[in-house]
Amino acid sequence: MNNEKSGSEAILTVEGKTYSLPVVTGTENDKAIDIGTLLQKTGYTTLDTGYKNTASCTSDITFLNGSEGILSYRGYGIEELAEKCVFIEVAYLLVHGHLPNPAEYENFRQLLKRFALIHEDMIHFFDHFPPNAPPMAILSVMVNSLSSYYPEMSLDPLKTLDTAAARLISKIRTIAAFTYKKSMGHPLVYPRSDLNYCGNFLNMMFDKPVYPYTVRPEAVAALNKLLILHADHEQNCSTSTVRLVGSAGVNLYSSISAGINALWGPLHGGANEAVVTMLETIHQDNDNFKKYIEKAKDKSDPFRLSGFGHRVYKTFDPRGKIIKEACDDLLVALNVSDPLLDIARRLEEIALNDEYFIERNLFPNVDFYSGIIYRALGIPTNMFTVMFALGRLPGWIAQWKEQQEDPDSKIGRPRQVYIGEPSRPFVPMSKR
Ligand code: SDX
């Protein structure tokens, strides 16, 4: 990487022998001990369940500072990007490493337009899912299927990557909208050449033959902001999944499909759906906040406050702050009120003044308020994590590309510490 510095060292003493391990220092002075030679030098591996203390790679895509609540893509602060860009500009930035100039931007727009349709044969796939199939299950199947329709991606990944990236960023939007339309039994609405990325998505979702949909600029602006805020987040669970699957030489579409499945989890991208379900439950339980705060604190109760806490952020998630403000703006602009927003605000206020959450540095994360905006846009709860995937896709592509371009990249293959049975003689069936 262009900013990786080394020079200092870490000293490890084990079984009376002393070893020197290089220290790697990142652009923002983030430091790591390079244990690449540890096993060969010492015979020891490291144990780090959940990789809380482990950097899996060096990367020049996204920087997080969890204690100060800082997030930047390719060196640009998330606040400025969310305020001054549209989503496809940020998608280009993540995939190509720089903000597009007017010619690059126009070319990217034309590629997204060219790739907006999906193969008509793929539309028949929707007819063979059960009626209430989870949209995330459909999304991962449809994205994986793209590898069958565009096999050239497997033959020479990096040569065809720019096209594959634009194709995927455009088609995932169409697949998501078609998934919703099919679930509603409504006729499909095809992408239009006169609408921008977000406007096309909203139109494909909500336009109907009998009730034409008006694409509101406030709705387009809110969706652009949401997708930008979800676009990348360094080595989170789903991105690490995309990298691990890609490290085995799997094509981009199938690697992304694996990432979609990882994002589905309620501890990860599925939290945005879980937040709204939680807020609805509290609302139906006479807004009994105290009961649910106590449940979240009770170790014997599996209930957790969805949308709260983060592996890296030990202060406000910068994305959550921006989304919370955008909530207010959009609801006023659309003249919509949502009782769940008031409940979310009240829950946040109570939690942030409770010792349990304070001492564990548990703050609202990106998922706590995003569902309120999706609801105001008319997007159903079971599509919220699909929206997260639409936003995260450029980040997944950029991370997959970075790994493919890294000459030192190897297949990901962690070790373990075996704690099972010692070697023992075989017992024939007659003696068991
Ligand atoms: C995303 O990694 C990323 O970057 C992810 C993401 C991205 O953009 O890709 O930011 C997107 O996934 C955001 C997180 C969405 N998930 C949720 O909102 C689900 C609820 N949150 C928790 O499950 C939890 O906070 C995690 C999963 C997000 C983080 O878990 P960690 O880092 O493994 O922390 P932990 O489980 O060890 O918790 C530390 C303590 C524990 O208590 P003690 O054992 O110390 O007494 O905090 C408690 C936990 O019980 N805790 C919570 C809690 N989150 C942590 N208690 C109640 N409610 C919560 N939400």
Side-chain angles (χ1 to χ4, degrees):
M1 290 295 128
N2 53 6
N3 288 305
E4 180 187 321
K5 299 187 285 291
S6 57
S8 56
E9 61 179 9
I11 303 298
L12 173 69
T13 299
V14 63
E15 292 180 13
K17 289 181 75 177
T18 299
Y19 303 90
S20 162
L21 294 169
V23 168
V24 171
T25 304
T27 310
E28 300 290 348
N29 212 26
D30 40 332
K31 295 182 185 299
I33 299 170
D34 182 342
I35 57 170
T37 58
L38 183 73
L39 179 59
Q40 168 225 329
K41 278 182 178 175
T42 69
Y44 281 66
T45 59
T46 57
L47 179 60
D48 183 21
T49 306
Y51 310 118
K52 285 193 169 193
N53 305 281
T54 297
S56 61
C57 62
T58 58
S59 176
D60 59 16
I61 299 171
T62 291
F63 174 71
L64 298 194
N65 177 318
S67 51
E68 293 174 34
I70 294 171
L71 172 61
S72 64
Y73 300 154
R74 302 284 190 185
Y76 297 101
I78 193 68
E79 294 76 7
E80 267 203 296
L81 294 173
E83 193 54 42
K84 299 176 180 171
C85 289
V86 291
F87 173 60
I88 61 169
E89 243 179 302
V90 173
Y92 187 98
L93 168 67
L94 286 167
V95 173
H96 297 283
H98 64 273
L99 285 167
N101 63 35
E104 290 164 332
Y105 180 67
E106 186 50 30
N107 179 53
F108 191 49
R109 269 175 23 87
Q110 292 308 320
L111 279 177
L112 293 173
K113 192 179 296 186
R114 182 176 138 205
F115 294 134
L117 294 174
I118 60 174
H119 195 294
E120 284 291 307
D121 288 355
M122 287 184 73
I123 293 175
H124 299 302
F125 293 10
F126 289 107
D127 300 332
H128 301 286
F129 288 103
N132 299 322
M136 284 296 275
I138 298 172
L139 189 71
S140 72
V141 166
M142 297 301 276
V143 167
N144 195 41
S145 305
L146 292 173
S147 59
S148 308
Y149 285 86
Y150 305 99
E152 73 282 1
M153 179 67 219
S154 308
L155 303 174
D156 190 339
L158 290 178
K159 190 159 154 250
T160 55
L161 189 91
D162 290 358
T163 302
R167 175 183 287 127
L168 195 40
I169 291 168
S170 191
K171 287 186 185 329
I172 198 170
R173 167 192 51 176
T174 306
I175 291 167
F178 282 11
T179 300
Y180 171 64
K181 281 301 198 191
K182 279 291 183 179
S183 74
M184 299 296 286
H186 293 174
L188 298 180
V189 174
Y190 278 64
R192 283 172 27 186
S193 63
D194 62 322
L195 292 174
N196 59 33
Y197 187 89
C198 288
N200 240 325
F201 173 74
L202 292 169
N203 191 62
M204 285 193 276
M205 283 284 286
F206 303 121
D207 191 39
K208 298 187 194 75
V210 185
Y211 298 105
Y213 174 72
T214 304
V215 179
R216 299 270 308 259
E218 301 89 344
V220 170
L223 185 54
N224 267 301
K225 190 166 281 192
L226 271 179
L227 295 179
I228 288 170
L229 292 169
H230 285 82
D232 195 48
H233 215 237
E234 65 146 74
Q235 305 311 316
N236 58 83
C237 178
S238 53
T239 298
S240 299
T241 302
V242 169
R243 277 183 173 256
L244 190 61
V245 171
S247 74
V250 173
N251 70 80
L252 175 68
Y253 304 116
S254 303
S255 301
I256 297 294
S257 177
I260 291 170
N261 288 311
L263 185 72
W264 192 1
L267 294 184
H268 190 15
N272 55 16
E273 290 185 30
V275 166
V276 167
T277 304
M278 173 184 73
L279 294 175
E280 283 171 337
T281 303
I282 294 172
H283 193 39
Q284 284 148 22
D285 197 353
N286 303 312
D287 295 358
N288 189 345
F289 302 102
K290 189 164 173 44
K291 171 181 168 185
Y292 291 89
I293 291 281
E294 292 312 310
K295 278 170 67 69
K297 292 157 62 175
D298 178 357
K299 289 298 163 212
S300 65
D301 189 327
F303 176 81
R304 283 195 161 181
L305 218 48
S306 285
F308 255 75
H310 198 277
R311 172 62 58 77
V312 178
Y313 292 122
K314 300 310 170 190
T315 181
F316 273 93
D317 182 331
R319 303 166 297 177
K321 280 163 74 173
I322 297 170
I323 292 174
K324 183 179 176 183
E325 286 157 22
C327 267
D328 295 332
D329 300 346
L330 183 66
L331 268 59
V332 167
L334 298 183
N335 192 24
V336 166
S337 70
D338 186 344
L340 298 191
L341 178 56
D342 303 331
I343 291 177
R345 283 202 192 103
R346 190 85 183 81
L347 202 57
E348 175 187 352
E349 185 192 333
I350 296 170
L352 294 186
N353 289 290
D354 182 295
E355 255 323 294
Y356 173 92
F357 293 88
I358 294 169
E359 67 190 29
R360 290 169 179 78
N361 297 310
L362 301 177
F363 290 85
N365 58 47
V366 66
D367 294 308
F368 193 62
Y369 286 102
S370 56
I372 308 290
I373 293 191
Y374 292 139
R375 279 162 58 93
L377 294 175
I379 296 168
T381 305
N382 71 348
M383 286 285 290
F384 286 5
T385 311
V386 169
M387 298 308 296
F388 195 140
L390 259 66
R392 185 51 51 88
L393 179 61
W396 284 333
I397 295 171
Q399 299 272 353
W400 185 91
K401 176 183 177 184
E402 182 174 72
Q403 178 187 61
Q404 298 290 321
E405 290 175 337
D406 179 355
D408 299 328
S409 176
K410 295 193 174 10
I411 185 168
R413 202 274 186 222
R415 301 299 304 273
Q416 63 165 28
V417 174
Y418 176 68
I419 55 170
E421 291 288 339
S423 176
R424 53 182 171 165
F426 179 73
V427 180
M429 180 71 85
S430 58
K431 293 203 169 22
R432 291 175 203 160

